[in-house]
């Protein structure tokens, strides 16, 4: 394969000058396994920097893969022109134009993330400024008598010098712009990504700490992360609607019901479908700065926008997706989040807990009272419909009823009274 990636001898992204041999071997082994689309099971002693080595190898492969993808597109373009017998000078110019166009698209997206990062920084500074001003006002009110007439002065209002007609026109233009954004928003292109799974969110928070240690490559801006990261969680982890959380019942179902509502009955943190700007801004802020699940919740509260749906919106453009085992292993959860692992890289850290998690995911714990009631109903059914039931039905019920022999109260006194076989 002409565009195969050779396994590197060094990993500049690794934060320390000279990795230990065990770390370098792990990184090279993982890199080659990803490139050859193989399944790898690796083990390393405690304290040898497994997480950092896994990140260094997988993110290095991801960056190399992006360059290979660009080269592949240019080669395909050249081959298509060659089939049409296009002059060489025109082929060269066309390829250069396509290269500039692709790089410009990537730079425009990165610029949007830079702006989102700056917007979040300004928002935090404004919050600090408001807090400082409030403290000054409280101090002044306690220290001397304020002019009572001040409380009757009108509050400062942005655009207060504009007439009602002008403000109404501006609101119409804003609504029209949002509708145009909704119409012109094309299907967002997806990118190759790494799904990094661990058992708990606390372990994934440690992943963020290790990720921020990685060296930026020389061609990357100093304020940009080495990869776009998004953490994923369930509604239970990410919902910021305290009123909904306080209600009894299923949180997921309650959220879906609020999504169907309109106007003031709709969840206040979920913008209406025609307003794509607010959710796009949150998506950009999520991708602009690596953060863990707690940071994501805080960002949602600051922007007053749902972090659960914001993180889902960020998946397509994310390069490193962090999620716990249960969201990765359950098909229903993957479909709900929009996670598609086909042709993507999946890294499972702390995999010694994986078997227990799989068993737990596909197991149901039933209280003894439910089992007892179920067996009683089976016996009643068999007695009532013995003549109408087939022999195969009798056999199935008898096999099911044998569970009473392993009932924990079988040796209790008095016994549960449910038995089979006689």
């Amino acid at each position: 394969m002409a565009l195969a990636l050779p396994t590197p001898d060094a990993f500049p992204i690794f934060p320390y000058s000279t990795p230990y041999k065990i770390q370098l071997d792990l990184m090279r082994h993982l890199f080659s396994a990803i490139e050859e689309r193989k399944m790898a099971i690796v083990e390393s002693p405690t304290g040898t920097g497994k997480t950092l080595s896994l990140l260094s190898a997988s993110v290095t492969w991801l960056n190399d893969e992006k360059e290979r993808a660009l080269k592949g597109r240019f080669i395909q373009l050249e081959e298509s022109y060659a089939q049409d017998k296009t002059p060489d000078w025109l082929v060269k110019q066309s390829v250069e134009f396509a290269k500039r166009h692709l790089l410009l698209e990537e730079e425009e997206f990165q610029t949007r993330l830079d702006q989102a990062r700056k917007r979040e920084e300004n928002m935090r500074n404004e919050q600090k400024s408001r807090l400082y001003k409030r403290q000054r006002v409280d101090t002044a009110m306690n220290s001397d008598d304020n002019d009572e007439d001040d409380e009757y002065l009108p509050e400062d209002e942005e655009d207060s010098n504009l007439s009602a007609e002008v403000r109404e026109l501006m609101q119409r233009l804003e609504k029209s712009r949002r509708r145009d954004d909704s119409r012109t928003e094309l299907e967002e292109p997806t990118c190759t990504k790494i799904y990094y799974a661990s058992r708990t969110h606390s372990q994934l928070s440690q992943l963020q700490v290790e990720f921020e240690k990685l060296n930026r490559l020389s061609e990357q801006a100093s304020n940009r992360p080495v990869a776009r990261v998004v953490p994923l969680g369930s509604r239970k982890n990410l919902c910021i609607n305290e009123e909904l959380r306080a209600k009894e019942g299923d949180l997921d179902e309650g959220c879906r019901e609020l999504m169907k509502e309109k106007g003031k009955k709709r969840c206040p943190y979920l913008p209406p479908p025609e307003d794509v700007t607010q959710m796009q801004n949150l998506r950009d802020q999520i991708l602009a700065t690596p953060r863990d699940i707690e940071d994501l919740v805080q960002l949602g509260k600051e922007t007053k926008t749902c972090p659960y749906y914001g993180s889902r919106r960020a998946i397509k453009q994310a390069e490193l997706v962090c999620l716990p085992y249960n969201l990765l292993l359950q098909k229903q959860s993957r479909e709900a989040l929009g996670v598609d692992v086909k042709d993507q890289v999946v890294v499972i850290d702390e995999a010694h807990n994986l078997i227990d998690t799989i068993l737990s995911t596909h197991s149901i714990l039933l209280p003894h009272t439910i089992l007892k009631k179920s067996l009683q109903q089976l016996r009643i059914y068999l007695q009532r419909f013995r003549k109408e039931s087939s022999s195969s039905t009798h056999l199935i019920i008898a096999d099911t009823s044998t569970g009473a022999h392993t009932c924990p109260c079988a040796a209790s006194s008095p016994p549960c009274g449910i038995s089979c076989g006689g």
Side-chain angles (χ1 to χ4, degrees):
M1 179 173 162
L3 293 179
L5 297 176
T7 302
D9 294 324
F11 292 81
I13 204 172
F14 191 77
Y16 305 110
S17 57
T18 306
Y20 296 120
K21 183 178 184 301
I22 190 172
Q23 293 173 326
L24 184 59
D25 290 344
L26 192 155
M27 289 187 284
R28 285 176 51 83
H29 183 76
L30 180 61
F31 187 100
S32 62
I34 296 174
E35 173 61 16
E36 296 170 12
R37 303 171 69 90
K38 292 181 177 179
M39 179 183 295
I41 300 176
V42 296
E43 183 179 17
S44 187
T46 302
T48 54
K50 294 187 293 292
T51 300
L52 194 58
S53 300
L54 292 173
L55 280 173
S56 299
S58 55
V59 175
T60 296
W61 178 88
L62 185 66
N63 288 326
D64 291 350
E65 162 64 17
K66 285 194 291 186
E67 294 183 5
R68 174 172 60 181
L70 278 176
K71 291 179 181 178
R73 294 182 68 172
F74 299 149
I75 291 175
Q76 289 180 350
L77 188 60
E78 290 177 353
E79 290 176 350
S80 64
Y81 280 124
Q83 293 176 356
D84 296 336
K85 298 181 180 180
T86 306
D88 293 342
W89 65 270
L90 184 56
V91 172
K92 185 177 180 180
Q93 283 193 350
S94 299
V95 171
E96 286 297 321
F97 175 80
K99 183 176 182 179
R100 287 196 301 269
H101 178 71
L102 291 173
L103 294 178
L104 181 61
E105 282 185 345
E106 176 66 18
E107 184 57 32
E108 285 178 350
F109 185 74
Q110 290 294 343
T111 301
R112 285 182 57 181
L113 300 188
D114 292 340
Q115 293 171 349
R117 199 178 298 110
K118 185 66 176 178
R119 194 162 54 244
E120 184 177 355
E121 181 181 348
N122 292 338
M123 180 176 62
R124 298 274 170 85
N125 291 335
E126 288 176 5
Q127 290 175 344
K128 292 179 181 178
S129 177
R130 282 197 295 268
L131 180 61
Y132 177 69
K133 288 179 181 178
R134 190 178 300 116
Q135 291 173 343
R136 287 182 58 189
V137 170
D138 292 341
T139 303
M141 291 180 64
N142 293 330
S143 62
D144 57 19
D145 294 333
N146 291 314
D147 188 353
E148 294 182 358
D149 292 339
D150 288 347
E151 62 181 274
Y152 298 104
L153 293 175
E155 295 181 0
D156 293 335
E157 185 176 341
E158 188 178 0
D159 297 333
S160 59
N161 59 327
L162 299 178
S163 66
E165 292 80 4
V166 173
R167 286 199 295 269
E168 183 180 356
L169 178 60
M170 291 175 64
Q171 290 175 357
R172 289 180 181 177
L173 289 173
E174 177 64 16
K175 290 181 180 179
S176 175
R177 181 186 64 80
R178 288 176 177 177
R179 285 196 298 268
D180 290 341
D181 287 345
S182 179
R183 292 192 195 102
T184 57
E185 185 186 19
L186 301 176
E187 182 69 19
E188 295 179 6
T190 187
C191 60
T192 302
K193 56 186 89 277
I194 301 166
Y195 288 101
Y196 198 107
S198 194
R199 189 169 62 92
T200 64
H201 282 293
S202 60
Q203 291 172 337
L204 292 173
S205 296
Q206 183 61 33
L207 172 70
Q208 180 200 349
V209 175
E210 300 297 318
F211 177 83
E212 291 178 351
K213 294 178 182 178
L214 298 178
N215 291 328
R216 289 174 175 82
L217 302 179
S218 56
E219 63 271 15
Q220 291 177 322
S222 59
N223 64 332
R224 293 177 180 175
V226 294
R228 299 188 292 269
V229 185
V230 58
L232 295 183
S234 63
R235 287 182 176 88
K236 182 179 178 181
N237 302 118
L238 294 173
C239 179
I240 58 175
N241 189 334
E242 296 299 333
E243 184 179 345
L244 176 61
R245 296 181 71 95
K247 292 181 179 179
E248 295 182 357
D250 185 65
L251 181 63
D252 291 344
E253 190 60 31
C255 176
R256 295 188 190 99
E257 290 298 323
L258 285 180
M259 284 183 62
K260 299 175 184 177
E261 300 290 349
K262 295 182 180 180
K264 293 184 178 180
K265 292 183 178 181
R266 187 177 174 87
C267 178
Y269 301 102
L270 191 61
E274 63 271 13
D275 183 7
V276 299
T277 306
Q278 186 176 349
M279 195 60 75
Q280 279 184 342
N281 289 340
L282 179 61
R283 177 205 65 182
D284 292 346
Q285 286 180 271
I286 292 173
L287 294 173
T289 306
R291 59 188 87 231
D292 61 17
I293 204 76
E294 294 178 357
D295 297 330
L296 186 55
V297 170
Q298 182 62 31
L299 178 63
K301 291 179 178 179
E302 291 172 352
T303 58
K304 295 180 173 59
T305 310
C306 176
Y308 174 74
Y309 284 101
S311 59
R312 285 178 56 175
R313 187 68 177 272
I315 291 176
K316 284 191 175 182
Q317 286 295 332
E319 296 171 324
L320 179 61
V321 181
C322 307
L323 70 170
Y325 290 162
N326 58 327
L327 296 183
L328 178 68
L329 298 174
Q330 297 182 37
K331 182 179 179 181
Q332 184 178 0
S333 298
R334 292 198 305 271
E335 291 176 348
L337 291 170
V339 170
D340 184 6
V341 297
K342 184 178 180 181
D343 296 326
Q344 307 296 344
V345 180
V346 177
V347 177
I348 299 179
D349 201 359
E350 303 292 337
H352 56 275
N353 297 307
L354 187 59
I355 300 300
D356 291 339
T357 303
I358 293 174
L359 292 175
S360 175
T361 299
H362 298 282
S363 301
I364 298 177
L365 295 177
L366 295 176
H368 169 248
T369 53
I370 293 180
L371 291 173
K372 181 178 178 180
K373 190 69 175 177
S374 300
L375 290 171
Q376 286 176 339
Q377 291 174 345
L378 279 174
R379 192 170 70 172
I380 293 171
Y381 175 88
L382 186 60
Q383 291 174 349
R384 182 172 298 180
F385 299 101
R386 184 180 298 274
K387 294 181 179 180
E388 290 83 355
S389 303
S390 63
S391 57
S392 59
T393 302
H394 291 183
L395 183 60
I396 293 173
I397 294 176
D399 289 342
T400 306
S401 300
T402 55
H405 288 304
T406 59
C407 173
C409 69
S412 64
S413 180
C416 67
I418 304 175
S419 59
C420 69

